[in-house]
Amino acid sequence: FGIAICCLDGISGLILNLILLHSRWKTARAENLYRVPIYVSAIQGGLLCIVLIVFCPCHIFRDGTFIIAFFNPLSPVLPKTLCDVILVIAVVLATMMWTLIPAIGVLQLFALSRFLWNNAKRIVIAFLFTAICVILIAVRA
């Protein structure tokens, strides 16, 4: 029963992220600086929802330790190597949630302040921390 709820949660999240991407793609009224984090968040959320559908994560707190257990209903069907690759991708995507928040906050700061940088330079500076974190996580995983 829990696996079905987790899969339905992933499917509904994936549908909502696809609707967000489609609506933002059709509407070009938003400033370019705000469109990038919306796209990045929607794509990351959609990929994380796909991982939710394939692996059903369970968060466990025990003795001050945070553990994420993945229950894979497709493990009898998928090869072990593919399951391991998907698990590494899931850990990177789950960690990216925490690294995307500062990037979006920095972009909002840039949009509200009077920096003389162009939008491309603002986006690169805002997502630099996120890129470094993703590289470090991918190398260590």
Side-chain angles (χ1 to χ4, degrees):
F1 180 71
I3 293 174
I5 290 175
C6 187
C7 287
L8 287 175
D9 184 36
I11 291 170
S12 63
L14 180 64
I15 291 170
L16 290 173
N17 279 304
L18 289 174
I19 290 171
L20 176 65
L21 274 174
H22 184 264
S23 67
R24 288 291 92 204
W25 191 263
K26 288 262 185 190
T27 310
R29 283 183 269 158
E31 185 184 343
N32 289 334
L33 193 60
Y34 287 116
R35 291 177 80 184
V36 171
I38 290 173
Y39 290 145
V40 169
S41 296
I43 291 170
Q44 190 268 341
L47 291 174
L48 193 59
C49 288
I50 291 171
V51 169
L52 267 175
I53 295 167
V54 176
F55 288 102
C56 298
C58 177
H59 300 141
I60 303 168
F61 294 99
R62 182 171 173 101
D63 296 330
T65 305
F66 178 65
I67 302 168
I68 301 176
F70 290 99
F71 300 101
N72 185 2
L74 299 176
S75 62
V77 180
L78 298 175
K80 184 183 179 328
T81 308
L82 182 60
C83 288
D84 292 341
V85 168
I86 294 173
L87 182 63
V88 169
I89 292 170
V91 170
V92 170
L93 287 172
T95 309
M96 275 183 61
M97 286 188 306
W98 302 108
T99 60
L100 285 175
I101 292 170
I104 294 170
V106 169
L107 277 177
Q108 290 174 356
L109 173 71
F110 286 161
L112 295 174
S113 62
R114 302 276 187 230
F115 286 107
L116 299 177
W117 300 331
N118 60 6
N119 284 345
K121 192 171 186 177
R122 291 178 181 184
I123 291 170
V124 168
I125 291 171
F127 283 98
L128 187 62
F129 173 74
T130 303
I132 291 170
C133 287
V134 168
I135 290 169
L136 289 175
I137 293 165
V139 168
R140 291 183 182 191

